[in-house]
């Protein structure tokens, strides 16, 4: 594959687990998330109501896996994620699109939870698309609370 | 507003082929709210000139927001005692703010596994032309009437 955009150096990064980073779920962040998805269910806004329905607190609405602790010294200014926590994938593409999301839950996440996440590049692919040659990166992120896995997400990134 | 006194859905209530639907017209305001709620401030979702400079026609809806919309459709169906176990989608087509998006689901299977009552679905979003812009699958767990 002489013309492959995926170099040996890039392939060597696949599977390497990152350093952990911390994500917080607060009443305020859980409400802001639910509001942005258009939920009207008091479950996602009213702590007493959530407890009356058997939840430990306001639950994180589906897709919300906490907010990475932002620190301008090491957070990405656009996406908020921690930078440099794992080996960098070097490529020359300037543009990025989100190709897909898959989330699996093993427990309910509620406001007050502090999560620890690590990620790794699970797979690299290259594809021809309407925007030209694209680099497809599947990143798998594991979220833990007190050492127990509460969720795993798989994201597909498209660079072009 | 969702009714909080709506009857809890149970495993026994669900039939294969059953359909779900949630219509949403995301505004640019909602995209900005999503940027704050999710922490994703990528400019293609609120800055038209920036979006065009990357080869897009204009501002597009965040893919992850469409995943979250489908999660909301599932939650509003399974209610307080149900749980979304897994759902995954591909962002195949771009959706635009101000256009109606229809979130849909259809039950494809039911199984009892590891003490859980699981329901499998195909889920997707549709644009006004009826194209599936965000196809995927989901699994939810439900209480049993016992």
């Amino acid at each position: 594959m002489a013309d492959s955009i995926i170099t040996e150096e890039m392939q060597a990064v696949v599977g390497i687990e990152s350093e952990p980073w911390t994500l917080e779920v607060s009443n305020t962040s859980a409400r802001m998330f639910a509001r942005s998805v258009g939920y009207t269910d008091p479950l996602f806004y009213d702590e007493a109501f959530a407890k009356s329905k058997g939840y430990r607190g306001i639950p994180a609405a589906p897709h919300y896996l906490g907010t990475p602790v932002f620190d301008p010294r090491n957070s990405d200014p656009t996406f908020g994620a921690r930078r440099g926590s794992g080996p960098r994938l070097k490529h020359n593409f300037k543009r990025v699109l989100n190709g897909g999301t898959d989330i699996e839950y093993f427990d309910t996440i509620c406001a007050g939870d502090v999560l620890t996440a690590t990620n790794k590049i699970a797979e690299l692919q290259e594809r021809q698309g309407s925007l030209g040659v694209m680099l497809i990166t599947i990143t798998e992120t594991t979220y833990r609370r007190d050492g127990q896995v509460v969720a795993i997400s798989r994201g597909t990134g498209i660079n072009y | 507003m969702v009714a909080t006194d709506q009857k809890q859905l149970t495993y026994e209530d669900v039939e294969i082929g059953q359909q779900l639907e949630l219509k949403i017209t995301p505004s640019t305001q909602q995209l900005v709210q999503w940027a704050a709620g999710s922490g994703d401030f990528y400019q293609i979702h609120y800055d038209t000139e920036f979006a065009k400079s990357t080869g897009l026609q204009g501002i597009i809806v965040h893919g992850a927001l469409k995943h979250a919309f489908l999660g909301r459709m599932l939650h509003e169906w399974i209610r307080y005692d149900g749980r979304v176990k897994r759902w995954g989608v591909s962002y195949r087509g771009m959706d635009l703010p101000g256009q109606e998006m229809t979130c849909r689901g259809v039950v494809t299977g039911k199984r009892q596994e590891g003490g859980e009552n699981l329901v499998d679905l195909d889920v997707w979003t549709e644009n006004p032309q009826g194209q599936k812009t965000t196809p995927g699958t989901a699994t939810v767990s439900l209480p049993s009437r016992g």
Side-chain angles (χ1 to χ4, degrees):
Chain A
M1 290 251 293
D3 295 318
S4 176
I5 55 168
I6 301 169
T7 63
E8 275 179 37
E9 191 185 0
M10 286 159 72
Q11 201 64 49
V13 172
V14 173
I16 298 176
E17 201 80 23
S18 73
E19 292 296 313
W21 70 92
T22 302
L23 302 102
E24 295 169 337
V25 184
S26 69
N27 279 342
T28 303
S29 71
R31 284 195 196 98
M32 180 64 229
F33 183 90
R35 179 183 169 196
S36 78
V37 186
Y39 281 97
T40 56
D41 193 330
L43 180 70
F44 298 111
Y45 302 95
D46 181 337
E47 190 173 4
F49 182 86
K51 286 182 174 171
S52 79
K53 296 295 178 190
Y55 291 79
R56 290 180 287 117
I58 293 176
H63 188 93
Y64 183 49
L65 297 167
T67 301
V69 172
F70 189 87
D71 183 330
R73 290 171 297 182
N74 52 28
S75 297
D76 183 277
T78 296
F79 297 100
R82 182 71 179 270
R83 279 189 303 213
S85 53
R88 270 186 74 78
L89 191 63
K90 287 182 190 147
H91 60 72
N92 294 320
F93 295 101
K94 294 210 162 38
R95 295 159 180 172
V96 65
L97 282 176
N98 191 346
T101 307
D102 194 314
I103 295 176
E104 183 172 14
Y105 285 108
F106 300 93
D107 199 2
T108 306
I109 297 167
C110 288
D113 288 355
V114 176
L115 308 179
T116 302
T118 56
N119 71 8
K120 64 183 178 194
I121 293 171
E123 203 181 329
L124 291 174
Q125 301 167 1
E126 85 178 83
R127 240 179 260 163
Q128 275 294 333
S130 55
L131 299 164
V133 64
M134 306 186 296
L135 173 67
I136 315 289
T137 307
I138 315 279
T139 304
E140 187 178 294
T141 308
T142 302
Y143 298 80
R144 293 179 176 83
R145 184 185 57 221
D146 301 327
Q148 297 291 313
V149 175
V150 290
I152 294 176
S153 74
R154 284 171 69 87
T156 303
I158 301 173
N159 289 100
Y160 64 101
Chain B
M1 302 297 265
V2 298
T4 55
D5 56 355
Q6 185 183 312
K7 195 167 151 280
Q8 174 62 48
L9 184 74
T10 67
Y11 184 67
E12 289 76 14
D13 295 328
V14 177
E15 289 173 14
I16 290 171
Q18 194 172 340
Q19 294 182 23
L20 318 185
E21 184 187 284
L22 174 67
K23 287 181 181 289
I24 300 173
T25 303
S27 60
T28 50
Q29 181 190 51
Q30 186 162 23
L31 301 195
V32 173
Q33 288 177 330
W34 173 261
S38 71
D40 175 357
F41 290 93
Y42 193 28
Q43 297 92 322
I44 61 170
H45 305 296
Y46 57 83
D47 182 336
T48 303
E49 290 309 311
F50 183 95
K52 286 182 177 169
S53 78
T54 70
L56 298 169
Q57 299 290 312
I59 292 170
I60 60 167
V61 176
H62 299 75
L65 176 55
K66 298 192 282 180
H67 186 249
F69 282 151
L70 289 166
R72 180 181 143 197
M73 174 185 74
L74 294 169
H75 166 78
E76 291 177 357
W77 182 54
I78 63 179
R79 312 293 292 172
Y80 306 122
D81 296 335
R83 293 289 184 277
V84 177
K85 303 293 291 181
R86 189 201 71 77
W87 80 123
V89 299
S90 298
Y91 307 123
R92 294 274 174 77
M94 295 173 194
D95 288 278
L96 309 175
Q99 280 194 355
E100 185 175 71
M101 179 189 306
T102 309
C103 299
R104 292 190 192 280
V106 59
V107 175
T108 56
K110 292 175 69 174
R111 56 199 163 95
Q112 292 179 300
E113 220 174 85
E116 290 192 298
N117 310 300
L118 302 175
V119 174
D120 298 312
L121 304 98
D122 283 341
V123 293
W124 67 94
T125 64
E126 254 174 47
N127 66 15
Q129 291 74 44
Q131 295 161 324
K132 293 185 183 185
T133 54
T134 318
T137 58
T139 301
V140 299
S141 72
L142 286 170
S144 170
R145 264 180 243 158

